[in-house]
Amino acid sequence: MAMIQKKEFYNIKCDCCGQMIDEQFWDEPEAVECMLDECNWKATEDGKHYCDDCWEYDDDDNIITKDGHKYTEDGEEIKA
């Protein structure tokens, strides 16, 4: 008789479009977080993640996301 075991895996999903950062899942959250810079994704102080298609810099070098948020380069949200 087979035994069912529960195991957690990690990935990061874009908070704007829902795209996953990678096709595979990782055993440790730190492993997938290391991919953020490599894949040109942005992580914010409020825990959001944005893929490279869902953010850009404005004229003041702030991060503008396609879902209407504005962040500093350090990931702190700028409230209007």
Side-chain angles (χ1 to χ4, degrees):
M1 176 179 220
M3 180 179 218
I4 297 174
Q5 294 182 348
K6 179 180 176 181
K7 185 171 183 177
E8 290 189 30
F9 292 93
Y10 300 91
N11 205 323
I12 297 174
K13 182 168 81 171
C14 177
D15 283 286
C16 187
C17 72
Q19 175 181 318
M20 301 299 267
I21 197 167
D22 193 33
E23 292 181 9
Q24 75 182 54
F25 288 82
W26 301 85
D27 290 337
E28 299 292 328
E30 296 81 14
V32 71
E33 287 173 1
C34 290
M35 296 183 64
L36 289 168
D37 285 337
E38 181 180 319
C39 295
N40 201 30
W41 281 47
K42 292 293 181 188
T44 64
E45 290 291 320
D46 56 2
K48 293 185 179 184
H49 297 88
Y50 293 95
C51 72
D52 58 345
D53 291 330
C54 291
W55 71 272
E56 63 186 14
Y57 288 110
D58 68 5
D59 293 337
D60 296 321
D61 292 329
N62 294 310
I63 297 167
I64 303 297
T65 63
K66 287 187 177 177
D67 62 357
H69 295 275
K70 186 176 188 178
Y71 297 94
T72 65
E73 180 62 31
D74 295 329
E76 292 181 40
E77 187 165 13
I78 300 169
K79 302 284 186 179

